[in-house]
Amino acid sequence: MSRRDFAALFMATALAFAGAAGWFLRTLQPIFAPPVDDERIAAAAHGEPGAWLVYGHTPAEQRFSALAQINQDSVADLGLAWAVELEGDRALASTPLVANGGIYFADAMGAIHALDSRDGQRWWRYIPDAGVDDTPAGCCAAPHGIAIYGERILVGARDGRLIAVRAADGELAWRVPAVRDEAGRPQPFAAAPRVGGGKVFAVYGRPGAAGWLIARDVNDGGLAWRFRLEPSSASGEGLAGPNAGQAAALSVGNAIAYDAALQQVYLSGAAFAPTQTASGGAQDASAGAWSVVALDASTGAVAWRRDRAGGRISGAGVRVGSAGGRVSGAGGRVGAAWALILAEVKLDGVERLALLHVAPSGGSQVIDRQSGALLAAHPYTAAGEARPPLATRLARSAALDVGGPLGKVAARAHLDSAAIWPAAALDPAANVMYLPLAMSAATQLKAFNPLSGTARWSVVNANGNGAGVLGTAGGLVFQGDAAGALSAYDAWDGALRWRFDAGAPIHAPPITYEVEGAQHIAVLVSPGQGDGKQTAARMLAFRLGGAASMSGT
């Protein structure tokens, strides 16, 4: 062997060894990673802006990132960094989380995937071992996200079980049985689990049926407390009461938030009690009934509550124990809960800890998180901005079995956000919320100031229902839609700055993260039809200068 051949062989061996060593070290990364605890989550917005540790980026649920490498000037160079094809033919709605170099998410069946955030290489996958033949379909069952907490990753599986796996390797840590309704059916999870104070908070329920908010110990799944969501009793008891003589139930959607500063959990819900026209059709209520309740995160005791009429009901001394208590509620009509975002605002020269509440009735509220007092209230929809009938909005998202005079409303469709689950975003410096709204024949993305009640801009999208929203310090707002377009809008005037055709519906909200100095945008794409061909579900990640293909190369 010549010296040149020996040198070439040595270099090839060294490179192969380095590659193998790099792969080995990358597989060890989740094993030796620091746990995601309360302190780390609280500091992440400023100390770890490149991560996405909880559903709403921070517990405040603002879905706004300080990353600005991808901005109004550079977004034209945004391209696909990597793509990973996923199994399954059901819609995906999960918000991915990014921690310790990995990107984690749940698919429509509740399987948890752990990928390397740099290139999408699989670290591990956990697949629940139960069948799903008796579980609800569509939006009522597809996980809307996971939670990472301590050394656990938690998911509400499609069959209604709450499951915790080890973050290091995906091995099962614990699981608890499904919560079942009066008919014995497993209750689906209405939102991604939230975490804090050593607990995981899970909301169960479907439109037209009562549900629960259940708090469990994150280490072993032990029951801490539970709060009954049942406005259907004849006496009108529950979080939101029904019309007299009508069956009703609480629809919570994604409206849940954990407040680490005050150790409270906030929940918003709406009475689902449709009225009926003379011809027997559904009649949409003009406003709808909803309530916002603050619970002590440690005990489940009610701190305060607001209803649609603006009254505040003190919950001092009220305790909802493991047997499931009820909170006396006001009468109501039809509605669906939507968004809760925590913020620090300045009103009349006074700094306040505020809860921003947006209801599909068309109204927004700014609520004092400590007392429940109303600080400001404004409509976010103008006259003439039509909303579809309630039955249409809900039927888009689920197959409903509704009691009372309406009878049965049944429809099967792609999972879409309608007016219940799309995640809003907030730019805390500008006090501007980015709201995905449902309209009669299209959707609308609106930049709205809940303190002043003024709209900065709005964009109408005729491509079908829009997904949740991501805002960034780069002056951009990202949103996907049912036609498969992932779009970036100018945060100042709503101008379209960038668009990518994913070839299949996007029902999941996008996120952003940073790895090895490069900001990425990531989103899950559902299976669908593209150019006459069946397209696969995928996880897509974008970065400046990205040039990968949809096949992942």
Side-chain angles (χ1 to χ4, degrees):
M1 178 182 295
S2 67
R3 181 177 297 178
R4 177 177 296 178
D5 292 339
F6 178 80
L9 179 61
F10 177 81
M11 182 61 68
T13 302
L15 290 175
F17 178 79
W23 174 86
F24 180 71
L25 291 174
R26 287 165 68 174
T27 61
L28 292 179
Q29 188 168 344
I31 298 177
F32 296 103
V36 178
D37 55 18
D38 290 326
E39 183 179 359
R40 186 175 173 190
I41 292 173
H46 303 288
E48 203 175 349
W52 194 285
L53 299 182
V54 294
Y55 178 84
H57 186 48
T58 69
E61 305 285 339
Q62 294 178 359
R63 305 192 72 87
F64 187 88
S65 171
L67 299 181
Q69 186 181 85
I70 300 171
N71 54 51
Q72 297 164 330
D73 297 324
S74 65
V75 70
D77 295 326
L78 191 61
L80 190 63
W82 52 264
V84 173
E85 188 169 314
L86 305 171
E87 298 177 356
D89 60 356
R90 297 177 184 267
L92 302 177
S94 179
T95 290
L97 303 185
V98 178
N100 304 322
I103 184 165
Y104 306 85
F105 60 92
D107 64 23
M109 306 307 291
I112 304 174
H113 300 255
L115 310 179
D116 192 312
S117 63
R118 290 171 287 193
D119 54 18
Q121 292 296 311
R122 186 181 301 281
W123 281 350
W124 53 259
R125 178 175 59 171
Y126 171 81
I127 302 176
D129 59 1
V132 295
D133 293 342
D134 64 342
T135 60
C139 66
C140 291
H144 290 265
I146 61 173
I148 303 177
Y149 195 52
E151 299 177 351
R152 303 282 187 262
I153 296 181
L154 305 112
V155 66
R158 187 178 176 84
D159 62 2
R161 294 179 301 172
L162 182 63
I163 297 174
V165 303
R166 298 191 315 211
D169 53 17
E171 292 296 318
L172 179 67
W174 54 262
R175 61 189 171 202
V176 295
V179 174
R180 296 185 176 270
D181 61 18
E182 290 78 0
R185 300 173 299 177
Q187 288 275 49
F189 291 88
R194 297 331 196 250
V195 291
K199 296 180 179 62
V200 53
F201 306 97
V203 181
Y204 301 80
R206 61 169 61 84
W212 295 89
L213 169 61
I214 299 182
R216 296 186 179 274
D217 187 287
V218 74
N219 293 313
D220 58 14
L223 178 66
W225 52 264
R226 55 185 181 176
F227 182 83
R228 180 72 167 168
L229 311 176
E230 184 185 12
S232 57
S233 69
S235 63
E237 292 182 335
L239 184 56
N243 283 337
Q246 293 188 3
L250 191 67
S251 176
V252 175
N254 190 48
I256 178 175
Y258 170 74
D259 186 343
L262 299 181
Q263 288 294 293
Q264 294 183 152
V265 178
Y266 307 103
L267 191 68
S268 176
F272 184 65
T275 57
Q276 195 176 35
T277 63
S279 61
Q283 175 177 302
D284 190 20
S286 60
W290 46 256
S291 294
V292 182
V293 63
L295 306 176
D296 186 297
S298 298
T299 66
V302 178
W304 53 261
R305 180 204 139 192
R306 295 197 63 84
D307 60 21
R308 180 175 61 87
R312 181 174 66 84
I313 301 177
S314 174
V318 179
R319 173 70 182 273
V320 180
S322 60
R326 294 173 178 170
V327 181
S328 179
R333 294 189 292 171
V334 181
W338 188 20
L340 290 174
I341 295 178
L342 281 60
E344 297 181 12
V345 303
K346 191 172 185 178
L347 286 169
D348 300 324
V350 179
E351 298 284 350
R352 310 292 287 267
L353 297 179
L355 180 66
L356 309 181
H357 175 239
V358 179
S361 58
S364 70
Q365 288 188 318
V366 182
I367 302 171
D368 188 296
R369 286 164 24 207
Q370 294 176 298
S371 65
L374 182 65
L375 304 178
H378 299 282
Y380 61 82
T381 54
E385 290 183 334
R387 296 164 58 243
L390 175 78
T392 302
R393 297 199 308 272
L394 294 181
R396 286 176 184 168
S397 297
L400 305 183
D401 188 358
V402 182
L406 181 61
K408 184 174 182 179
V409 178
R412 289 294 300 275
H414 283 301
L415 177 144
D416 60 39
S417 298
I420 305 178
W421 281 292
L426 170 73
D427 181 341
N431 291 322
V432 172
M433 300 180 75
Y434 302 104
L435 306 177
L437 308 177
M439 301 175 67
S440 297
T443 58
Q444 184 183 53
L445 178 62
K446 174 174 286 189
F448 173 77
N449 187 321
L451 303 186
S452 64
T454 58
R456 176 182 286 181
W457 51 263
S458 64
V459 174
V460 175
N461 184 352
N463 285 341
N465 287 317
V469 179
L470 163 69
T472 73
L476 296 171
V477 181
F478 291 85
Q479 184 188 33
D481 63 38
L486 178 63
S487 303
Y489 300 96
D490 192 305
W492 307 113
D493 58 14
L496 180 66
R497 293 289 187 171
W498 174 86
R499 176 163 287 171
F500 178 86
D501 181 9
I506 299 175
H507 304 303
I511 67 161
T512 187
Y513 66 92
E514 185 178 74
V515 60
E516 295 182 342
Q519 183 183 358
H520 290 62
I521 304 293
V523 70
L524 283 166
V525 177
S526 297
Q529 296 287 336
D531 298 326
K533 298 180 180 180
Q534 184 69 29
T535 59
R538 290 184 172 91
M539 164 65 79
L540 304 181
F542 303 83
R543 69 169 183 232
L544 297 178
S549 69
M550 290 288 282
S551 63
T553 59

